[in-house]
Amino acid sequence: MAAVSTTAADTILLARSEASAWRAEEKAVAACTKIEGADPSRLRVTTDPNDLVDCDIVVESVVEELGPKGEVLASVAEACPDA
């Protein structure tokens, strides 16, 4: 999803840990090479929900487990309540 998003806008990918951030960035950049118009320079990976404060649209893609999904959604809602 993040790679596709870079075709149209600057994209911030929120990861839950530094290790997952590194893996997510690696996968997203690799996916950009396979998607026409995708631009990895438009991708920024972070572990800080406050980096989403100016976002208008937030798309979550968290494992379908209540605990992790709830934690991420709560932190995003606090960081950018108007998104």
Side-chain angles (χ1 to χ4, degrees):
M1 273 193 269
V4 170
S5 178
T6 69
T7 65
D10 290 338
T11 301
I12 302 171
L13 192 156
L14 177 66
R16 294 188 298 157
S17 70
E18 290 298 327
S20 65
W22 181 81
R23 288 189 307 270
E25 182 172 22
E26 190 175 68
K27 288 180 181 182
V29 168
C32 284
T33 65
K34 300 174 184 177
I35 300 168
E36 185 177 337
D39 183 355
S41 71
R42 297 181 86 178
L43 175 68
R44 182 165 60 106
V45 180
T46 183
T47 57
D48 184 356
N50 292 315
D51 288 340
L52 305 177
V53 71
D54 293 325
C55 291
D56 296 318
I57 298 171
V58 176
V59 177
E60 69 83 13
S61 178
V62 179
V63 64
E64 295 300 319
E65 294 177 18
L66 188 57
K69 187 176 286 280
E71 290 173 22
V72 169
L73 291 175
S75 66
V76 168
E78 184 178 322
C80 49
D82 296 327

